[in-house]
């Protein structure tokens, strides 16, 4: 039972990596009976990603609220839950969840990246809702040398511009304009500087 279920999970993962979201979801639904806690968490993570990609936010929320992950997978399941809540109808709950993840402690590269992703998602969500100051606070928690720093700098500039502080917006955008021009965030900053 456990071996067969693990095989279904790996087959679903292959479908997911090939971009066959529906097949991945159908394969995950073949998992039945006993599974280890780790396999349950991994398959819930993958199933929630598939549901989110298909726009089935409420189903993803139900799945993630019922899943108990092991320590390794819990932060990822919480992040997916926050995204599902934000994209669905539970915006306030999603924001609270992202705030918790954005404050997680952990010194591994994985933990820092997840914290950056949560703060970036939180910052842009708050910016969309017109909360410029809170948005800036979240975006400033993203590491300046991490892989998400360009998007965070762009968002920080937009938060300042939204608040009418155009001179402040120039600071992150100018920093961003000195980075690789192949990045879309850098390209947008080059357009935003004259706007400011």
């Amino acid at each position: 039972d456990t071996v067969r279920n693990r095989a279904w999970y790996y087959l679903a993962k292959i479908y997911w990596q090939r971009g066959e979201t529906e097949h991945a979801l159908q394969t995950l639904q073949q998992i039945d009976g006993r599974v280890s806690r780790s396999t349950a968490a991994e398959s819930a993570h993958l199933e929630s990603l598939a549901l989110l990609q298909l726009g089935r936010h409420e189903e993803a929320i139900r799945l993630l609220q019922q899943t108990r992950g092991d320590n390794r997978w819990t932060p990822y399941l919480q992040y997916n839950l926050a995204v599902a809540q934000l994209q669905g109808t539970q915006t306030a709950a999603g924001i609270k969840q992202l705030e918790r993840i954005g404050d997680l402690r952990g010194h591994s590269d994985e933990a820092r990246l997840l914290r950056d992703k949560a703060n970036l998602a939180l910052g842009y969500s708050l910016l969309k809702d017109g909360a410029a100051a809170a948005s800036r606070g979240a975006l400033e928690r993203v590491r300046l040398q991490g892989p998400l720093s360009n998007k965070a700098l762009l968002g920080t500039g937009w938060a300042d511009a939204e608040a009418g502080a155009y001179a402040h917006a120039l600071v992150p955008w100018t920093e961003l304009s000195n980075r690789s021009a192949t990045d879309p965030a850098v390209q947008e900053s080059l357009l935003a500087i004259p706007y400011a």
Side-chain angles (χ1 to χ4, degrees):
D1 229 23
T2 309
V3 174
R4 190 191 71 223
N5 285 332
R6 193 85 181 142
W8 281 122
Y9 166 71
Y10 280 116
L11 181 59
K13 196 171 178 181
I14 290 167
Y15 281 132
W16 172 256
Q17 289 168 341
R18 288 171 37 187
E20 298 179 36
T21 308
E22 286 282 2
H23 280 104
L25 201 52
Q26 290 165 3
T27 305
L28 284 168
Q29 289 163 353
Q30 298 299 318
I31 295 174
D32 187 34
R34 289 182 49 206
V35 292
S36 70
R37 195 167 177 175
S38 176
T39 302
E42 288 176 69
S43 46
H45 174 67
L46 186 57
E47 188 172 349
S48 67
L49 290 175
L51 289 168
L52 285 171
Q53 191 168 71
L54 295 170
R56 293 160 61 179
H57 308 115
E58 298 305 317
E59 288 176 66
I61 291 169
R62 278 194 301 278
L63 168 73
L64 291 163
Q65 286 176 334
Q66 294 167 0
T67 304
R68 297 289 164 252
D70 57 11
N71 287 342
R72 178 170 179 259
W73 283 98
T74 298
Y76 296 99
L77 296 172
Q78 291 172 340
Y79 178 80
N80 288 358
L81 177 59
V83 171
Q85 289 169 326
L86 284 174
Q87 292 177 355
T89 58
Q90 302 175 22
T91 307
I95 286 173
K96 282 183 184 168
Q97 189 81 333
L98 285 175
E99 285 170 346
R100 278 194 294 274
I101 299 165
D103 286 335
L104 283 178
R105 295 290 158 241
H107 301 294
S108 70
D109 287 340
E110 255 184 291
R112 285 194 289 261
L113 181 59
L114 187 61
R115 199 167 45 236
D116 284 351
K117 280 180 77 169
N119 282 314
L120 186 69
L122 177 61
Y124 274 94
S125 180
L126 291 167
L127 184 59
K128 190 178 96 181
D129 289 345
S135 168
R136 191 179 212 293
L139 293 167
E140 284 178 337
R141 290 194 297 268
V142 177
R143 293 171 296 152
L144 274 176
Q145 300 308 320
L148 301 174
S149 62
N150 288 357
K151 288 181 182 175
L153 284 168
L154 180 66
T156 302
W158 282 119
D160 286 335
E162 185 76 21
Y166 297 104
H168 288 221
L170 285 172
V171 175
W173 286 342
T174 303
E175 164 63 29
L176 196 50
S177 71
N178 294 321
R179 298 185 177 195
S180 171
T182 58
D183 188 305
V186 174
Q187 294 168 10
E188 189 172 334
S189 75
L190 293 170
L191 296 171
I193 288 171
Y195 167 81

